[in-house]
Amino acid sequence: MNVRHILADTMCRCQPVRCALLAVALLQPLISTRAGEPVLAPAESLPRTLRETGLYGPGGGRELAPGIVPFSPQYPLWSDGADKRRWLSMPEGAFIDARNPDEWEFPPGIRLWKEFAHDGRRVETRYIARRGDGSWQFAAYVWNADGSDAVLAPDRGIAALPALGAPGGRYAIPSRNDCLACHGSGAVPVLGVSALQLSPDRDPLAPHIAPGGTDEIDLRALVTRGWLRNLPPLVLERAPRVAGSSPVERAALGYLHANCGNCHNASAARVPVRLNLAQSVADPGGSRAAALRTTVQAASRYQPPGPQEYPSVVAAGHAEASVLALRMASRDPQVQMPPLGTRIPDVQGLALVRRWIDHHLSQPKEPPP
């Protein structure tokens, strides 16, 4: 029995948070390299302050450095209602190779930032960069009280940082292992910069989408700048979108793609559970079919309290009996999904998923017992 089989067998029995940590521990040898290249750079190589990452221009101000451009994914990850801003920087002459539209190859030197704020106060800024040797840096920076700069968080993260406006007045800074648990389980380690997330065909029903500024970069702008090359022409001619039988299904599958598909997908680095919620640009119909096949009336390993012996991940027409909705709604550490990164459920996202289950899926003749 190999490591993936051991983990798959274990995940049906252990607590979700322990599952995530176990996944990192057991899969570390499997995701530490990809195509012969290291994925995670050593911690000692990280800049000590956010300013040293190059986000801001010279001096002590907070004006962005030249060449830093903002972007926003059309399906944002739920982060307990935090206000977020995102930027990227491309080294001169470099480009993203998009010949595989679902697995972009990011060049050495690319840098990305994501800022989190509550009540107008910056709390944390995360940083991802690819180094010249192909390895990736993941770091979290904690803003100081006067907002002049942010310093590198400890490797273990910070479990409860005081933060006004955050749930319970506390904010969690992820550990490096937490970063790896999410960014190491997909086809590529960058999650919010993709053909689907930057598609100009924005989903009007996507929860929490902020109005994009005129200076934000999208798929077409990346191509125009020469920062994205080898993208199949059809992807530009027909802007990528989730295949759905209705606008509600499109939005629900897009939401699940962003919030769950980074772990639950078909890549070699995925969490080894029979669940595929990642949407494909190359084959949108096929990825929709895979999502429905592995959720709708599909038996769940998780056994919720009650009489159901083999509950469904999604019970068509019955959100109240669907394990997916149940785990999204819970923040019991033995139940909640995602297992990391949130303290409160996403009310808006949950309402969308419940609406999809209750009104946009074919119902069986009899409801589940």
Side-chain angles (χ1 to χ4, degrees):
M1 180 178 289
N2 63 28
V3 173
R4 291 188 183 282
H5 292 148
I6 293 171
L7 183 56
D9 179 66
T10 305
M11 287 190 73
C12 66
R13 299 193 301 267
C14 69
Q15 296 179 7
V17 172
R18 290 174 59 201
C19 282
L21 298 178
L22 179 64
V24 171
L26 292 181
L27 292 179
Q28 180 73 40
L30 298 177
I31 60 180
S32 61
T33 60
R34 179 172 292 138
E37 297 179 339
V39 171
L40 189 61
E44 58 268 22
S45 68
L46 294 168
R48 298 293 99 186
T49 68
L50 180 62
R51 190 166 297 279
E52 291 174 23
T53 67
L55 178 59
Y56 299 110
R62 290 197 299 234
E63 291 188 4
L64 297 177
I68 306 291
V69 297
F71 71 94
S72 62
Q74 67 168 323
Y75 298 108
L77 183 71
W78 170 244
S79 302
D80 286 347
D83 296 318
K84 291 180 281 189
R85 296 192 296 171
R86 306 164 183 84
W87 303 275
L88 68 82
S89 172
M90 186 74 68
E92 186 174 357
F95 62 90
I96 301 167
D97 188 340
R99 70 188 66 226
N100 182 337
D102 292 313
E103 297 183 20
W104 288 1
E105 179 67 24
F106 292 87
I110 192 170
R111 294 172 293 165
L112 304 102
W113 297 265
K114 180 162 67 170
E115 176 189 278
F116 296 76
H118 283 282
D119 279 359
R121 299 182 181 181
R122 296 173 175 88
V123 181
E124 174 199 7
T125 299
R126 297 178 190 172
Y127 172 66
I128 301 177
R130 194 166 199 187
R131 304 201 310 170
D133 62 0
S135 63
W136 288 89
Q137 292 178 319
F138 295 91
Y141 293 88
V142 186
W143 281 89
N144 55 23
D146 64 7
S148 60
D149 202 358
V151 297
L152 182 66
D155 281 1
R156 65 181 182 278
I158 303 175
L161 181 74
L164 293 176
R170 293 291 183 269
Y171 181 91
I173 303 289
S175 70
R176 277 167 58 82
N177 277 349
D178 290 340
C179 294
L180 194 59
C182 290
H183 290 273
S185 297
V188 293
V190 177
L191 304 179
V193 178
S194 67
L196 179 59
Q197 288 286 33
L198 298 184
S199 174
D201 185 5
R202 308 286 276 192
D203 189 339
L205 296 185
H208 314 301
I209 186 65
T214 56
D215 58 342
E216 286 194 345
I217 199 163
D218 66 2
L219 189 64
R220 289 173 180 160
L222 281 173
V223 173
T224 300
R225 285 175 176 249
W227 288 4
L228 186 71
R229 301 181 188 176
N230 302 322
L231 188 70
L234 188 60
V235 178
L236 274 181
E237 294 170 9
R238 300 177 183 176
R241 63 182 297 164
V242 173
S245 62
S246 68
V248 168
E249 181 170 280
R250 174 194 176 189
L253 292 180
Y255 177 88
L256 294 173
H257 166 82
N259 286 270
C260 313
N262 56 310
C263 286
H264 298 293
N265 53 64
S267 76
R270 71 188 185 279
V271 170
V273 175
R274 291 185 296 273
L275 186 60
N276 188 354
L277 294 171
Q279 296 299 306
S280 166
V281 166
D283 184 13
S287 59
R288 171 184 179 266
L292 297 182
R293 183 174 62 252
T294 58
T295 57
V296 181
Q297 309 307 128
S300 171
R301 289 178 179 230
Y302 174 76
Q303 179 66 53
Q308 292 177 264
E309 184 175 359
Y310 298 106
S312 296
V313 177
V314 168
H318 304 279
E320 79 286 351
S322 299
V323 168
L324 176 67
L326 182 153
R327 302 191 76 171
M328 285 177 60
S330 176
R331 283 305 175 265
D332 180 333
Q334 298 190 44
V335 180
Q336 78 168 65
M337 280 291 167
L340 301 171
T342 71
R343 295 178 183 270
I344 58 175
D346 180 0
V347 174
Q348 189 176 343
L350 183 58
L352 170 67
V353 170
R354 283 174 170 163
R355 181 182 172 192
W356 168 59
I357 294 172
D358 281 337
H359 304 292
H360 295 264
L361 291 173
S362 299
Q363 300 183 26
K365 293 182 179 179
E366 298 293 335

